């Protein structure tokens, strides 16, 4: 009976879409110049409505046959380019159908066919959306049937293959802090996750990032188990003369290459989707570290989504709608004089649309395909919230709306597990949070670079090229992860180089959210406090005493690493404090531990500058053009979340550092593969001691 209901619903949807297409073609034939139906060289007189119905049927059948073949042939085309080709491809299909249909007009131009295709796409997509409104279950069943045909077997709900151990899907909600998530759960913005917690199926815990609270450091630690010597999002290497930027494919590939001796969390049959790094996975889509490889990249994630023309058209329509939504929301902030705020023009509306629509849809479809293929571990990054929060704010209405959409994506992925060949555990986490506040330049009228150069007696740079030596062009002040992914999707290449470097002898100032790095490149080694004072007397004091600076990390010649604040100094090696502890407001001993670890990195900057933090308002000051920022200490940026099934063993206490999560996740995967289920349904009771999750993995590493 259920099967007949499913068939009847599918038939009803098909008929409704055909009727909508027929009506659209009939209307177009009446109003569009150069387009007529029922006047072609058919056998005898045919009315326009009959001709429209026949043409609609031809178009639907031909599109269903040709579309997957066309998309398969275009797998090497960047994802966003493929999405923008949708109307052109659909126009070609309509053109061919109108030429073949017996009652067709004949001689239709390709431009007319494109107009017809656009109207048909809009109408049929609207009808499909109305009929299948929020019907994610139908989408899951369709994907399951496709996967079953490829595997040569029939897939139905709950029909897992015998003996298959559970797999794990890790869904990373980029930039969502623990406290932001809790408020979203409380306010009903994320009903799926709220339901899991209320039912007891999942547990929620915060974890603490390293000082560099950004995706590059966190994902490298989580996926490869080692984020040593990643002091910030951008840093300079004096020994190689190389400027490293986590969201540049060449830098991401180099960071991964340096960890080639580690297998990675996803080694074997795992899949990496939308990440900066592969984690050792054999399957990847929208992964920066592999995007520049000369070998053919895996595009199965694209095909899984764009093979269905309805999906492609819906994505393109949603992309255009998102661009319009961003323009309206940005204008509303200006009219209401919402502060803090930043400029949101240029290419940003397209970058946001890519992050919140194209990247989301492709990644989710790829994850669904991975589950239906039975992969043991999948790690996917959804960057939508992070991108919008950078520019709109951490908890503003448009940002919370993004969380609602992400919650629905999580529900869809979790529902697919019923059709997969193995059971799946779904883990949801974030790589860092975000902290809000006016930028350093907005609050104090100058950038960090201007402050450093003035204190050094050098000419201040052009304000247009300041902002902490940000990237040039469209890269300026944008969200890190989505920005480069969008540029790769648009052009299939790496972003433009960073802005022009200062002349030799002048300080190089880099920004990573509210963390600034100052290098003196003419000296091959790291300068001490005494060296800096000899070269530029008063520089450290000018920085540490500025109201927008919380503390400066500098190495003392005889005292080791020092955290220098406006009213005191803390010796990180001994814990001794002179005056007021500058790290107290940032977490005291915990902050000192994170800062001391960064001090041990070979490529730690001569001076590391962390902005001030107001514990009452939670505000920090980004050295970039961002309302919501992350990269240093202060506020929610350093306190992301981990939400995991209760069946997986929970570590005691709060995990500290991304490497601790790698050890935790690797332990889960090993237990699920090797240990039988216990009497209480939990796996992995094989004696693993989770008290060492936060243990130091190697000298200088946490």
């Amino acid at each position: 009976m259920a099967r007949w209901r499913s068939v009847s619903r599918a038939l009803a949807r098909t008929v409704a879409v055909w009727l909508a297409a027929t009506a659209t073609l009939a209307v177009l034939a009446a109003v569009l110049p150069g387009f007529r139906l029922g006047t072609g060289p058919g056998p005898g007189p045919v009315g326009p409505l009959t001709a429209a119905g026949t043409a609609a049927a031809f178009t639907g059948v031909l599109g269903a046959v040709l579309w997957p073949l066309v998309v398969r042939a275009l797998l090497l085309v960047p994802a966003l380019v493929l999405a923008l080709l949708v109307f052109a491809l659909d126009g070609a299909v309509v053109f061919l159908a109108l030429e073949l249909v017996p009652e067709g007009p004949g001689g239709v131009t390709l431009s007319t066919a494109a107009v017809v295709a656009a109207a048909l796409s809009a109408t049929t997509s609207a009808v499909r959306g109305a009929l299948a409104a929020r019907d994610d279950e139908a989408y899951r069943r369709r994907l399951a049937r496709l996967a079953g045909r490829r595997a040569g077997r029939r897939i139905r709900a709950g029909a897992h293959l015998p003996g298959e151990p559970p797999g794990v899907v890790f869904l990373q909600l980029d930039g969502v802090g623990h406290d932001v998530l809790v408020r979203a759960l409380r306010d009903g913005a994320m009903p799926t996750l709220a339901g899991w917690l209320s039912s007891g199926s999942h547990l929620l815990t915060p974890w603490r990032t390293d000082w560099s609270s950004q995706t590059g450091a966190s994902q490298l630690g989580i996926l490869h188990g080692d984020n040593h010597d990643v002091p910030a999002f951008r840093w300079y290497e004096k020994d190689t003369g190389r400027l490293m930027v986590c969201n540049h494919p060449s830098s991401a590939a180099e960071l991964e290459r340096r960890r080639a001796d580690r297998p990675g969390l996803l080694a074997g049959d795992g899949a990496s989707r939308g990440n900066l790094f592969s984690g050792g996975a054999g399957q990847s889509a929208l992964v920066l570290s592999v995007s520049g490889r000369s070998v053919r990249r895996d595009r199965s994630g694209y095909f899984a989504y764009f093979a269905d023309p309805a999906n492609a058209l819906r994505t393109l329509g949603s992309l255009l709608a998102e661009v319009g939504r961003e323009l309206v929301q940005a204008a509303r902030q200006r009219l209401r004089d919402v502060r803090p705020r930043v400029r949101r023009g240029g290419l940003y509306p397209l970058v946001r649309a890519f992050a919140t629509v194209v990247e989301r849809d492709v990644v989710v479809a790829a994850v669904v395909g991975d589950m239906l293929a039975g992969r043991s571990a999948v790690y996917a990054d959804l960057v939508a919230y992070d991108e919008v929060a950078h520019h709109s704010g951490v908890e503003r209405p448009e940002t919370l709306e993004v969380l609602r959409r992400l919650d629905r994506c999580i529900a869809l992925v979790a529902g697919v597990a019923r059709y997969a060949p193995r059971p799946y555990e779904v883990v949801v986490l974030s790589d860092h949070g975000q902290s809000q506040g006016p930028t350093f330049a907005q609050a104090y009228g100058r950038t960090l670079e201007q402050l450093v150069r003035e204190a050094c007696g050098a000419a201040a740079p052009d304000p247009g090229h300041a902002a902490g030596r940000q990237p040039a062009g469209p890269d300026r002040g944008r969200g890190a992860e989505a920005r480069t992914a969008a540029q790769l999707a648009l052009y299939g290449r790496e972003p433009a180089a960073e802005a022009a470097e200062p002349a030799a002898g002048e300080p190089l100032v880099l920004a990573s959210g509210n963390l600034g790095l100052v290098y003196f490149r003419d000296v091959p080694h790291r300068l001490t406090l005494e060296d800096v004072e000899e070269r530029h007397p008063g520089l450290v004091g000018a920085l540490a005493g500025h109201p927008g600076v919380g503390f400066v990390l500098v190495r003392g010649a005889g005292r080791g690493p020092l955290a220098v604040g406006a009213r005191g100094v803390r010796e990180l090696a001994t814990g001794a404090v002179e005056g007021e502890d500058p790290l107290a407001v940032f977490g005291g001993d915990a902050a000192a531990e994170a800062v001391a670890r960064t001090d041990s990195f070979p490529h730690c900057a001569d001076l590391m500058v962390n902005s001030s933090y107001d514990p009452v308002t939670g505000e920090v000051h980004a050295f970039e053009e961002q309302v919501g920022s992350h990269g240093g200490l202060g506020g929610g940026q350093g306190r992301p979340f981990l939400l995991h099934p209760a069946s997986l063993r929970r570590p005691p206490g709060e995990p500290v550092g991304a490497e601790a999560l790698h050890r935790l996740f690797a332990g889960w995967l090993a237990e699920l593969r090797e240990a039988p289920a216990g009497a209480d349904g939990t796996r992995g009771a094989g004696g693993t001691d989770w008290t060492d999750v936060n243990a130091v993995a190697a000298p200088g590493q946490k």
Side-chain angles (χ1 to χ4, degrees):
M1 183 63 67
R3 179 177 178 81
W4 283 111
R5 282 199 300 268
S6 178
V7 170
S8 63
R9 283 197 298 265
L11 182 60
R13 285 194 295 268
T14 301
V15 171
V17 171
W18 172 73
L19 289 174
T22 298
T24 301
L25 286 173
V27 172
L28 290 174
V31 301
L32 186 63
F35 180 65
R36 295 291 180 269
L37 288 172
T39 59
V46 178
L49 194 58
T50 302
T54 306
F58 263 70
T59 302
V61 172
L62 197 60
V65 172
L66 292 182
W67 187 271
L69 300 178
V70 172
V71 173
R72 178 68 75 178
L74 293 175
L75 284 181
L76 293 181
V77 175
L80 189 54
V81 175
L82 178 58
L84 295 175
L85 285 175
V86 166
F87 279 126
L89 294 173
D90 212 32
V93 170
V94 171
F95 175 80
L96 182 58
L98 293 176
E99 288 295 317
L100 293 177
V101 65
E103 295 82 8
V108 174
T109 64
L110 191 57
S111 59
T112 299
V115 173
V116 175
L120 276 178
S121 299
T123 303
T124 56
S125 295
V127 172
R128 287 191 183 100
L131 292 174
R134 312 192 70 83
D135 189 8
D136 289 335
E137 184 60 30
Y139 178 58
R140 298 185 192 109
R141 287 196 298 267
R142 184 169 73 255
L143 289 176
R145 287 195 297 271
L146 289 173
R149 285 201 292 268
R150 295 190 188 105
R153 64 186 181 88
R154 180 182 174 186
I155 294 180
R156 63 181 186 276
H160 303 311
L161 296 178
E164 286 290 330
V168 181
V169 174
F170 299 94
L171 296 178
Q172 177 180 297
L173 304 187
D174 206 300
V176 181
H178 176 270
D179 293 345
V180 170
L181 177 73
V182 169
R183 285 190 284 271
L185 296 172
R186 178 199 62 198
D187 296 341
M190 306 192 78
T192 300
L193 297 189
W196 289 357
L197 289 171
S198 64
S199 70
S201 69
H202 284 66
L203 303 174
L204 175 65
T205 184
W207 67 279
R208 201 165 74 228
T209 69
D210 304 287
W211 187 9
S212 182
S213 54
Q214 47 90 16
T215 303
S218 292
Q219 273 201 356
L220 199 59
I222 293 170
L223 292 177
H224 292 274
D226 173 20
N227 63 1
H228 184 70
D229 203 20
V230 180
F233 178 73
R234 300 178 183 90
W235 72 95
Y236 179 73
E237 298 186 346
K238 289 188 175 184
D239 53 345
T240 65
R242 183 171 185 170
L243 183 64
M244 300 289 287
V245 187
C246 286
N247 74 324
H248 280 195
S250 57
S251 296
E254 173 62 17
L255 290 173
E256 190 167 318
R257 185 196 64 77
R258 294 176 184 180
R259 290 151 182 83
D261 58 333
R262 293 176 173 268
L265 184 70
L266 307 175
D269 69 335
S272 178
R273 309 298 186 184
N275 301 309
L276 295 183
F277 307 103
S278 72
Q283 300 290 325
S284 63
L286 293 178
V287 175
L288 288 187
S289 65
V290 302
S291 62
R293 294 180 185 174
S294 58
V295 297
R296 182 181 178 185
R297 301 187 296 274
D298 173 60
R299 299 281 183 169
S300 59
Y302 298 165
F303 182 77
Y305 190 79
F306 289 116
D308 186 339
N311 291 339
L313 294 169
R314 182 166 57 248
T315 292
L316 183 57
S318 298
L319 184 145
L320 296 176
E322 190 71 12
V323 170
R325 185 178 295 115
E326 162 57 25
L327 295 175
V328 170
Q329 292 171 352
R332 183 184 298 130
Q333 278 198 352
R334 292 193 301 270
L335 291 173
R336 295 178 178 177
D337 196 25
V338 175
R339 296 178 185 272
R341 69 174 187 272
V342 295
R343 293 168 297 180
R344 292 158 60 173
L347 288 178
Y348 172 66
L350 278 176
V351 173
R352 167 176 165 167
F354 176 85
T356 58
V357 176
V358 179
E359 193 268 355
R360 177 200 66 196
D361 289 351
V362 171
V363 167
V364 169
V367 170
V368 169
D370 293 329
M371 296 172 70
L372 296 176
R375 305 196 195 286
S376 60
V378 182
Y379 195 102
D381 186 12
L382 297 170
V383 303
Y385 170 86
D386 187 67
E387 180 60 35
V388 177
H390 275 310
H391 299 82
S392 299
V394 175
E395 287 187 88
R396 288 175 176 163
E398 54 261 48
T399 318
L400 295 178
E401 178 58 34
V402 173
L403 289 180
R404 290 187 181 90
R405 289 184 242 160
L406 290 177
D407 184 80
R408 189 179 169 205
C409 291
I410 295 169
L412 191 150
V413 169
V416 167
R418 293 187 296 147
Y419 300 95
R422 65 165 80 214
Y424 276 97
E425 306 282 9
V426 178
V427 176
V428 185
L429 73 151
S430 57
D431 51 342
H432 55 78
Q434 287 205 26
S435 300
Q436 188 166 295
T439 69
F440 187 84
Q442 288 173 344
Y444 302 104
R446 68 179 70 181
T447 67
L448 177 64
E449 183 175 11
Q450 289 173 318
L451 177 63
V452 170
R453 290 170 65 87
E454 289 171 3
C456 290
D462 181 347
H465 285 281
R469 191 62 65 183
Q470 294 180 90
D475 217 25
R476 185 186 302 275
R478 304 300 184 208
E481 295 78 18
R483 177 177 61 235
T484 299
Q487 187 150 355
L488 285 168
L490 276 167
Y491 310 119
R493 60 173 171 79
E494 187 165 340
E498 296 281 311
E501 295 182 357
E506 296 181 355
L508 173 66
V509 182
L510 303 174
S512 180
N514 74 318
L515 177 63
L517 294 82
V518 182
Y519 292 91
F520 296 94
R521 298 175 301 138
D522 57 329
V523 180
H525 58 270
R526 183 179 174 190
L527 296 183
T528 64
L529 172 62
E530 292 74 14
D531 294 332
V532 174
E533 284 298 300
E534 182 178 350
R535 290 169 60 102
H536 302 289
L539 171 59
V540 174
L543 292 176
H546 192 280
V549 172
F551 66 92
V552 177
L553 170 66
V554 62
R555 180 70 65 88
R559 304 168 65 186
L562 305 173
V564 183
R567 298 181 178 85
V569 178
R570 176 166 180 156
E571 294 185 3
L572 299 179
T574 64
V577 176
E578 298 177 4
E580 297 181 11
D581 184 358
L583 298 182
V585 71
F586 295 97
D589 292 342
E593 180 185 356
V595 173
R597 178 175 184 258
T598 299
D599 175 81
S600 71
F601 293 169
H603 295 113
C604 182
D606 295 316
L607 303 175
M608 302 280 290
V609 184
N610 200 103
S611 87
S612 60
Y613 164 61
D614 186 334
V616 176
T617 64
E619 288 190 340
V620 301
H621 302 297
F623 300 125
E624 303 180 84
E625 192 179 353
Q626 297 174 344
V627 175
S629 67
H630 56 89
L633 291 175
Q637 61 183 316
R639 198 165 185 256
F641 74 91
L642 170 63
L643 189 148
H644 65 86
S647 58
L648 300 176
R649 192 182 298 271
R650 182 175 187 172
E654 184 176 294
V656 177
E659 293 175 3
L661 284 193
H662 174 86
R663 291 189 286 275
L664 175 64
F665 294 169
W668 285 349
L669 293 174
E671 290 181 348
L672 291 174
R673 283 194 304 267
E674 300 169 5
D680 60 353
T682 61
R683 291 179 177 265
T688 301
D689 181 8
W690 290 116
T691 60
D692 66 349
V693 164
N694 294 324
V696 175
Q701 301 180 31
K702 178 157 63 310

